[in-house]
Amino acid sequence: GHTDKVLSVAVTADTQYAVSGSSDKTLRHWYVPTGECLHTMEGHTSAVNAVAITRDGSKAVSGSSDRTVKVWNTDPSSSMSGNLIFTMRRHSAVLCLSLMPDR
């Protein structure tokens, strides 16, 4: 698991997967039924304060004290799962996130 405090957790709509963010600057992608950590996602340079996950579980979004918001591939069927998709900069410290479902 994480090596420092967990600051945020998001769970997919089907409750099968979760993403956690920590003071250790990482996110972890979990398979809930077994408690297995599927991926450790590194890229933030400060605490990960907030995480959100898309309804289908294919992407996670993280916000950090490093003033960035990052989007990650968390699609368990993808060979790219766990990889960073892109980074948004020029924020102040990000303390919370929310995602809107597609219409």
Side-chain angles (χ1 to χ4, degrees):
H2 289 286
T3 60
D4 206 340
K5 293 175 282 208
V6 172
L7 302 175
S8 179
V9 177
V11 180
T12 56
D14 65 6
T15 70
Q16 295 294 298
Y17 298 92
V19 174
S20 55
S22 170
S23 293
D24 67 8
K25 307 175 193 172
T26 69
L27 288 85
R28 292 188 187 256
H29 186 208
W30 304 92
Y31 182 57
V32 173
T34 63
E36 177 187 4
C37 179
L38 303 174
H39 303 286
T40 299
M41 295 170 277
E42 299 177 342
H44 284 291
T45 59
S46 193
V48 179
N49 300 315
V51 295
I53 194 163
T54 57
R55 186 170 200 61
D56 66 0
S58 67
K59 292 178 185 64
V61 182
S62 58
S64 171
S65 294
D66 68 8
R67 302 171 48 168
T68 66
V69 172
K70 295 182 181 285
V71 179
W72 308 85
N73 182 327
T74 52
D75 181 348
S77 66
S78 169
S79 64
M80 300 300 288
S81 189
N83 287 352
L84 179 65
I85 297 172
F86 65 88
T87 300
M88 294 174 272
R89 292 175 170 62
R90 300 185 189 177
H91 302 276
S92 56
V94 181
L95 302 178
C96 64
L97 292 168
S98 180
L99 299 179
M100 297 293 293
D102 290 339
R103 294 182 183 229

